[in-house]
Each structure stands twice: as structure tokens, then as C-alpha cells.
Amino acid sequence: MTRSSVQTILGALNQAGVRYLVVGGLAVVAHGHVRFTADIDILLDFDEENLRRAMEVFESLGFRPRAPVPLRQFADAEIRQGWIRDKGLTVFSLFSDDHPLTEVDLFVADPLGFEEAYARRATLAVAPDVEATFVAVDDLIRLKRSAGRPQDLVDAEALEQLRGEWDDG
């Protein structure tokens, strides 16, 4: 069986023991609202060792930053803060020639409180042998509402409707 890029990426993060939450469009789909998404939005635990392992995974899969900076700079909290302050950066985008249809967007700051959000996570299968840690639906709705872009608001509304159906069922 051939693995998709999403399965490969999430499986490699799991194998390396990286603590992460899938957020964004892929999480919307995983929670039941089908829509197209071409990237994986990930919130990483900002623990230094966790970030080091994550950067090793992305390097091993051929990912490199869209920005003209070394990938490993992402693991440096001071550098990330500079990107936020000086460039208004919210996500650090990665691409790979080996996975041309799947970009990875890493949050440069923690919008949720990682430990609390990780405790509420949903663990869902993305393949028969790959489970991934997704942000809980309530946290995802909060993220989508705070982002405020039109697609995010549509996603939040759809997720709230689905949650209502789950509560009624």
C-alpha cells in the first residue's frame, strides 16, 4: 500500500515521539466537515527537545522553509519571536519536492495553551496503521473564530452544526 504524504508526515512525527496537534483544514475534515485542503497545519509542543525532533523529521522528509532561512531556526524561541514581531508571521510554511502536493504550516506561537489543548486532543486514524493527534473540536472552533477569515468562519459554523447534531444524536 502506498502512503499518502499526510500519512507519511504524521507517521514520521509519531515515530519520532513528536508532540503535535493537527489544526486547520485537515482537522476540520477529520472532525466531519468535508472540504478541500492542500496543507497540514500543525501546532507543535514548543519544548526544545520536541522541536528538535520535529525539525529532524521534516528535514528527513525533504521539507524546507518557504522563507529564505534555515529550517532549524524554527526551534529557536528568540528567532520565532522576532519573526512574529518584525514580520507579523503566524505560520512557518514548509514544502518538499518529495511531497509536492502537501505543504506544512507550523504555528510560530501557541494560540491555545498546548498542554491544555493536548489533554483535550482527539486521536484519530489517518491510515490503518497511523493515528494522529488532532485538536479537539471546541478548540478548533475557537481557533477558526479567532482567525476570522471567511473560510475559517464557514468552517467554524459547519463544525458547530455538526457538534449540535452529535449532541442531539
Side-chain angles (χ1 to χ4, degrees), residues 96-163:
S96 170
D97 294 336
D98 296 333
H99 303 277
L101 301 178
T102 308
E103 285 203 8
V104 175
D105 287 340
L106 303 175
F107 276 72
V108 294
D110 181 353
L112 289 173
F114 186 87
E115 286 302 323
E116 296 82 9
Y118 195 76
R120 293 185 295 269
R121 73 191 176 273
T123 303
L124 304 168
V126 295
D129 61 338
V130 179
E131 289 189 334
T133 52
F134 288 84
V135 66
V137 71
D138 288 339
D139 289 330
L140 182 55
I141 291 169
R142 192 169 57 238
L143 274 174
K144 291 292 191 174
R145 290 236 176 262
S146 69
R149 297 171 302 210
Q151 182 63 58
D152 293 312
L153 297 176
V154 167
D155 289 344
E157 184 65 32
L159 290 167
E160 286 173 343
Q161 285 180 349
L162 283 168
R163 186 180 57 196

Side-chain angles (χ1 to χ4, degrees), residues 51-73:
L51 291 178
R52 184 190 63 73
R53 285 192 308 269
M55 295 309 103
E56 288 174 359
V57 166
F58 291 122
E59 270 185 351
S60 75
L61 296 174
F63 281 92
R64 55 192 187 277
R66 284 250 171 246
V69 299
L71 175 62
R72 292 189 182 247
Q73 281 190 354

